[in-house]
Amino acid sequence: MPAFETLFSFVNCWECDENDHLNVQFYLSRFDEADRQFRLLGGLSDAVAGPRRARHVRFHNELFAGDTLHMTSHVAFDGPYMLTVVHELRRTADGSLAATAIDGYAPADSMARELRRRFAEASDAMPDAAQPRGTSATGEMNGVTPAQLEAAGARVTNRATVLPRHTGPDGRADDCFAAGCFVEAAPHTWNMTPMGEAWLAERNLGRVVAELKLCWAGPLKVGEPVVTLSGVTGAGTTTFTIRHHMFEARTQRFVAAADVVCLALDLETRKAPPLADDVRQEILKAALRR
């Protein structure tokens, strides 16, 4: 099999959240490490493919404390980007697919033949399970200002500072840091909808992410403060969508954004109930104005 084994890991109790399963930010920490290992084993670098444009994560099955984890990574030339790297995270005990991530790159067209030659032994087909569903693979986040977002209905939902533990070997804040900020921003964003804390508690429901697309517009270094502004962007039958924008707080430099597909989780059945029509309509009324 051409995929590289890029992670052997374990779910720690302290990584689980109020829903008793692995929190989103710690999935991202696993994908961060798998990416570093794939770069080492497969020879991928920014010099070869340019910077990563997007990381698109889909969550397929819950992971719980004590689960052992195994990740494989490969290049998919039939993926949605000119160069797509696929990471597949599985529970070791039964081999079930827990989450997938696709990393999208846009190298120069002139590199196409060289990339196919270079990564021939690390390539495989694009798995259907990893294909984007709730958010588009195309279209990167556009830079906006906090003032523009607030005028469109977004609110400040998180403030944080990049600490040494949040950075990778390149000295930049990693995806786990951004995801952690967005995880803390999420409940404040849910509170902009009818599905606030009291509403969820009355129905024994939890907040869950089904899909996440993260794009970086620029790096963050140790000591830099950040602010996140968030708002809802749409609603469907069982899910609704959120967009988070992160800025360096002193300069208001746009640094990252994430589109997130959310759903409520019945904490007994572990299934997602449909959104009631009145709830869906209220979410749509609260959506960011374009």
Side-chain angles (χ1 to χ4, degrees):
M1 183 176 179
F4 291 102
E5 293 181 313
T6 49
L7 186 84
F8 297 87
S9 190
F10 175 85
V11 178
N12 296 282
C13 295
W14 56 267
E15 296 175 306
C16 297
D17 56 25
E18 73 278 9
N19 298 323
D20 296 324
H21 61 200
L22 185 65
N23 187 264
V24 168
Q25 61 189 299
F26 299 113
Y27 283 87
L28 271 293
S29 72
R30 268 65 176 195
F31 290 126
D32 276 335
E33 186 57 43
D35 173 61
R36 288 190 284 265
Q37 294 299 323
F38 183 76
R39 286 169 173 264
L40 172 67
L41 296 169
L44 179 66
S45 68
D46 287 0
V48 171
R52 189 184 77 210
R53 299 300 182 93
R55 171 166 286 164
H56 196 123
V57 181
R58 295 193 67 215
F59 302 92
H60 303 281
N61 285 293
E62 296 178 276
L63 291 172
F64 302 98
D67 281 342
T68 53
L69 311 175
H70 175 244
M71 185 107 66
T72 58
S73 305
H74 69 274
V75 170
F77 288 112
D78 57 343
Y81 300 95
M82 181 176 172
L83 182 67
T84 302
V85 177
V86 181
H87 306 285
E88 296 178 281
L89 178 64
R90 297 181 183 275
R91 181 185 291 111
T92 306
D94 58 8
S96 61
L97 186 65
T100 53
I102 57 173
D103 294 347
Y105 298 84
D109 291 344
S110 59
M111 287 290 294
R113 181 175 296 180
E114 171 61 19
L115 291 171
R116 286 187 173 273
R117 184 196 65 79
R118 187 183 291 254
F119 296 109
E121 295 184 1
S123 66
D124 203 347
M126 176 71 193
D128 183 65
Q131 291 280 9
R133 296 290 197 279
T135 66
S136 173
T138 60
E140 297 179 27
M141 306 295 184
N142 295 319
V144 291
T145 67
Q148 289 172 328
L149 288 169
E150 288 181 318
R155 301 179 193 172
V156 173
T157 52
N158 181 260
R159 291 183 182 274
T161 304
V162 180
L163 301 177
R165 68 174 182 267
H166 299 139
T167 61
D170 59 1
R172 299 180 178 187
D174 56 23
D175 283 12
C176 184
F177 170 75
C181 292
F182 298 151
V183 162
E184 294 197 357
H188 299 282
T189 315
W190 279 66
N191 285 344
M192 299 177 195
T193 78
M195 305 166 73
E197 294 169 61
W199 189 95
L200 292 166
E202 288 171 3
R203 293 160 177 78
N204 194 32
L205 299 173
R207 309 178 193 90
V208 173
V209 172
E211 202 164 338
L212 179 151
K213 177 185 176 183
L214 172 64
C215 297
W216 286 95
L220 284 170
K221 299 179 294 184
V222 171
E224 291 191 312
V226 298
V227 58
T228 297
L229 287 88
S230 309
V232 296
T233 54
T237 304
T238 58
T239 64
F240 70 100
T241 51
I242 287 172
R243 176 167 289 179
H244 302 292
H245 291 82
M246 179 182 287
F247 298 86
E248 199 282 329
R250 287 175 296 203
T251 63
Q252 297 195 341
R253 173 174 58 92
F254 173 56
V255 292
D259 278 324
V260 184
V261 180
C262 305
L263 54 83
L265 177 73
D266 186 311
L267 295 176
E268 290 187 7
T269 66
R270 313 305 287 192
K271 297 183 181 299
L275 294 178
D277 288 341
D278 59 333
V279 171
R280 186 184 306 107
Q281 291 304 316
E282 288 300 313
I283 293 174
L284 292 173
K285 287 179 184 178
L288 293 176
R289 297 179 292 278
R290 302 286 176 147

